[in-house]
Amino acid sequence: MNCTAEAPAAWDPAFADADDRLLSADQDVVRGQHCFVKGLIEIPVIGSDEVFSWGGWVSLSRESFSLPSDLWERPGRETEEPYFGRLTTDLPVYPRTTLSLKTHVHTRPVGERPYVELEPSDHLLAIEQRTGISLGRVRDRASTVLHAGDGEQR
């Protein structure tokens, strides 16, 4: 199961018509300087080969954004080193905000969203990514998100 955010938390509808803005399903640049990439925060499901995924946006420095952007359609891009970033998607099912959690974005083969690895911390999301969650917890998370809307998070 995958619950996803349609845009970074920093996104504002006023940006929609800006000349210096790009929003695609996987990348966002605001005012030519704030760069974001969409990736998957995968959480293993205990006792299963399945994963639960949050689709979230990560802010990258302009330098870190440039290379993966240049390689976006190039086969072999997955050999690049991960890029440091900060999570810019707030997942309200967690008691503490998920905004600004430190991450490493791992590029995958063309056509696949990057993998977002959270740096180890005491945040419940980071703990779940490291240790996994039960199928019951997956159902609870999915139910909460689906009842809050259509599965799309901001």
Side-chain angles (χ1 to χ4, degrees):
M1 167 142 202
N2 181 357
C3 295
T4 190
E6 61 188 75
W11 190 84
D12 183 301
F15 298 150
D17 297 325
D19 292 335
D20 57 355
R21 179 171 183 283
L22 158 81
L23 175 64
S24 71
D26 300 301
Q27 298 176 316
D28 189 16
V29 178
V30 177
R31 296 196 170 133
Q33 59 185 335
H34 302 287
C35 305
F36 306 92
V37 65
K38 190 174 196 177
L40 297 175
I41 304 163
E42 296 178 348
I43 301 173
V45 178
I46 298 169
S48 168
D49 292 334
E50 300 296 317
V51 295
F52 176 80
S53 297
W54 292 109
W57 292 87
V58 174
S59 66
L60 299 175
S61 69
R62 284 174 40 187
E63 180 182 298
S64 291
F65 181 80
S66 294
L67 186 56
S69 186
D70 291 344
L71 300 175
W72 201 253
E73 297 296 326
R74 186 174 300 165
R77 69 183 192 169
E78 65 276 10
T79 62
E80 290 297 311
E81 292 294 316
Y83 306 96
F84 175 80
R86 292 204 177 252
L87 190 61
T88 59
T89 298
D90 191 22
L91 302 171
V93 300
Y94 292 95
R96 289 181 14 220
T97 184
T98 56
L99 291 174
S100 295
L101 290 176
K102 295 177 182 178
T103 69
H104 296 277
V105 178
H106 299 261
T107 307
R108 292 180 169 162
V110 173
E112 293 182 36
R113 284 222 162 99
Y115 168 68
V116 177
E117 174 189 17
L118 297 169
E119 283 195 356
S121 74
D122 66 350
H123 193 284
L124 183 56
L125 177 59
I127 293 169
E128 287 179 348
Q129 189 177 49
R130 286 192 313 269
T131 63
I133 59 175
S134 69
L135 187 55
R137 175 83 46 112
V138 169
R139 288 185 188 120
D140 290 344
R141 297 274 189 251
S143 177
T144 300
V145 169
L146 293 174
H147 285 95
D150 62 358
E152 293 283 315
Q153 297 278 324
R154 272 241 169 197

